[in-house]
């Protein structure tokens, strides 16, 4: 199972189907499926009466949408299209200025295709909405490489641990390396977002490129963002600095890896997994460790998956506040966080 998923199974590059205005096209089958599942649940709950069932289905639908259920059509990119992806214009959440880059996301552990799609839109870039806040989700020319989900949690953990402790060269890593080589120093620039296990994919790609000194400078126009990172972001940033052609030691935040990491996320924080500094400690419901861990392995929201724009469910579960839900978070780089820690340690 695990071996097949890493090395043999196709890690597809996907995008959203959009109309002539760049808006995503709804997936009728997905919407129908949502109703169907709601009906089945209503039956299982023993709910009788058409009105009651309809109400239950509507509530179920809303609950799923609050979790970020993807209702839009996806498409797979052909090999030819992969070479000619389009750049995306988005808003830098800190400076509020427009940026343009090729944006590709790499998904986390236990994500099926639809979850990978949801997080590709949620976690990394957005544009300014009508309120002037960076809260409008982007779909057009947002791409993601889907690392297929293994058959079991154990297989997933084996894959993640293998990627953590060995420089893996699986299909997703190869695609990341190809993207870095093709677009990493392009005038438009490359933006690779990664979540959870996806950060190991990017970290492995960096380590692969680092082996050849000729690659120094190959990522001179590359921005990385890692959320809920299973990878050690400081280590990855050290390699990125070299590949950006900035020498052995980073001296400013420009080009440093953007990180988003909840203090209560075991994947991003625990020393034997990510071991990264936290960028927030949101836990408005004051959940204890048991409840936090239960959320991480559950299918609602958690400290591990409420990054970027977040979802309505994140506020419900206490991992985003009412003020910041649905808004792309100001960027914090690993360089700045490490500088801050060093200062605090000196005091």
């Amino acid at each position: 199972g695990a071996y097949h998923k890493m090395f043999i199974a196709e890690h597809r590059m996907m995008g959203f189907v959009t109309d002539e205005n760049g808006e995503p096209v709804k997936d009728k089958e997905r919407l129908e499926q949502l109703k169907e599942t709601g009906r089945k649940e209503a039956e299982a709950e023993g709910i009788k009466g058409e009105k009651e069932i309809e109400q239950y289905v509507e509530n179920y639908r809303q609950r799923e949408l609050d979790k970020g259920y993807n209702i839009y059509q996806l498409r797979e990119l052909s090999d030819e299209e992969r070479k000619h992806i389009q750049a995306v214009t988005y808003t830098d959440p800190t400076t509020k200025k427009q940026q343009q880059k090729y944006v590709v996301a790499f998904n986390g552990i236990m994500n099926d295709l639809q979850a990978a799609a949801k997080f590709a839109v949620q976690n990394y870039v957005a544009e300014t909405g009508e309120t002037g806040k960076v809260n409008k989700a982007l779909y057009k020319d947002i791409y993601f490489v889907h690392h297929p989900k293994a058959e079991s949690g154990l297989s997933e953990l084996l894959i993640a641990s293998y990627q953590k402790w060995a420089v893996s060269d699986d299909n997703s890593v190869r695609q990341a390396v190809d993207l870095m080589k093709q677009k990493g120093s392009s005038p438009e620039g490359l933006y690779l977002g990664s979540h959870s296990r996806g950060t190991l994919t990017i970290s492995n790609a960096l380590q692969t490129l680092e082996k050849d000194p000729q690659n120094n400078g190959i990522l001179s126009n590359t921005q990385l963002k890692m959320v809920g990172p299973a990878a050690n972001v400081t280590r990855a940033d050290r390699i990125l600095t070299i590949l950006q052609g900035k020498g052995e030691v980073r001296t400013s935040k420009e080009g440093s890896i953007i990180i988003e990491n909840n203090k209560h996320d075991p994947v991003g924080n625990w020393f034997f997994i990510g071991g990264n500094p936290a960028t927030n400690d949101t836990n408005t419901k004051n959940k204890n460790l048991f409840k936090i861990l239960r959320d991480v392995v559950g299918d609602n929201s958690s400290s591990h998956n409420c990054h970027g724009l977040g979802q309505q469910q994140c506020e419900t579960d206490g991992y985003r506040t009412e003020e910041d839900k649905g808004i792309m978070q100001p960027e914090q780089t690993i360089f700045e966080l490490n500088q801050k820690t060093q200062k605090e340690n000196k005091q």
Side-chain angles (χ1 to χ4, degrees), residues 186-346:
S186 62
E188 295 82 359
L190 179 64
Y191 186 116
L192 297 182
S194 55
H195 176 212
S196 191
R197 189 238 343 250
T199 64
L200 293 171
T201 298
I202 298 301
S203 185
N204 280 330
L206 293 171
Q207 289 174 71
T208 302
L209 288 170
E210 187 200 15
K211 290 174 190 168
D212 183 353
Q214 284 190 312
N215 288 329
N216 290 6
I218 200 170
L219 301 183
S220 60
N221 197 6
T222 296
Q223 180 67 67
L224 302 182
K225 181 176 181 181
M226 295 185 169
V227 304
N232 183 278
V233 180
T234 300
R235 199 176 305 139
D237 199 52
R238 222 174 280 143
I239 301 171
L240 177 63
T241 308
I242 295 164
L243 294 172
Q244 285 172 333
K246 295 186 175 186
E248 295 281 328
V249 181
R250 193 179 287 288
T251 53
S252 72
K253 67 176 187 176
E254 276 66 46
S256 178
I257 297 175
I258 299 161
I259 175 175
E260 224 179 302
N261 185 31
N262 187 311
K263 187 181 173 183
H264 306 287
D265 175 8
V267 178
N269 290 277
W270 288 4
F271 74 93
F272 57 87
I273 310 180
N276 294 297
T279 58
N280 71 79
D281 62 354
T282 309
N283 177 17
T284 64
K285 300 277 192 277
N286 294 318
K287 291 181 174 177
N288 60 26
L289 183 61
F290 172 74
K291 284 182 177 164
I292 285 167
L293 291 176
R294 195 178 60 190
D295 284 348
V296 169
V297 296
D299 71 342
N300 285 348
S301 75
S302 74
S303 56
H304 184 54
N305 67 16
C306 281
H307 309 292
L309 295 168
Q311 302 289 348
Q312 175 59 47
Q313 187 72 37
C314 294
E315 188 202 346
T316 307
D317 292 338
Y319 299 111
R320 288 295 278 265
T321 65
E322 194 180 344
E323 296 76 47
D324 76 13
K325 72 160 187 228
I327 298 167
M328 192 58 75
Q329 297 306 284
E331 294 174 348
Q332 296 187 60
T333 65
I334 193 69
F335 176 83
E336 292 167 288
L337 288 170
N338 287 337
Q339 290 276 316
K340 193 174 144 200
T341 309
Q342 282 166 13
K343 267 187 197 156
E344 283 165 3
N345 290 344
K346 278 178 188 169

Side-chain angles (χ1 to χ4, degrees), residues 96 127-136 323 326-328:
K96 303 290 189 286
E127 62 180 342
T128 310
E130 288 167 13
T131 58
K133 292 184 170 140
V134 185
N135 61 2
K136 188 174 190 302
E323 296 76 47
I327 298 167
M328 192 58 75

Side-chain angles (χ1 to χ4, degrees), residues 115-132:
K118 158 184 142 173
F119 290 123
V121 170
Q122 175 192 314
N123 281 339
Y124 310 111
V125 297
E127 62 180 342
T128 310
E130 288 167 13
T131 58

Side-chain angles (χ1 to χ4, degrees), residues 106 169 172-183 192 201-202 204-206 208-209 215 218-219:
F106 287 77
D169 182 28
S172 285
V173 173
R174 281 177 215 154
Q175 286 201 57
V177 167
D178 285 349
L179 281 164
M180 287 172 174
K181 283 180 172 175
Q182 288 164 17
K183 310 287 187 193
L192 297 182
T201 298
I202 298 301
N204 280 330
L206 293 171
T208 302
L209 288 170
N215 288 329
I218 200 170
L219 301 183

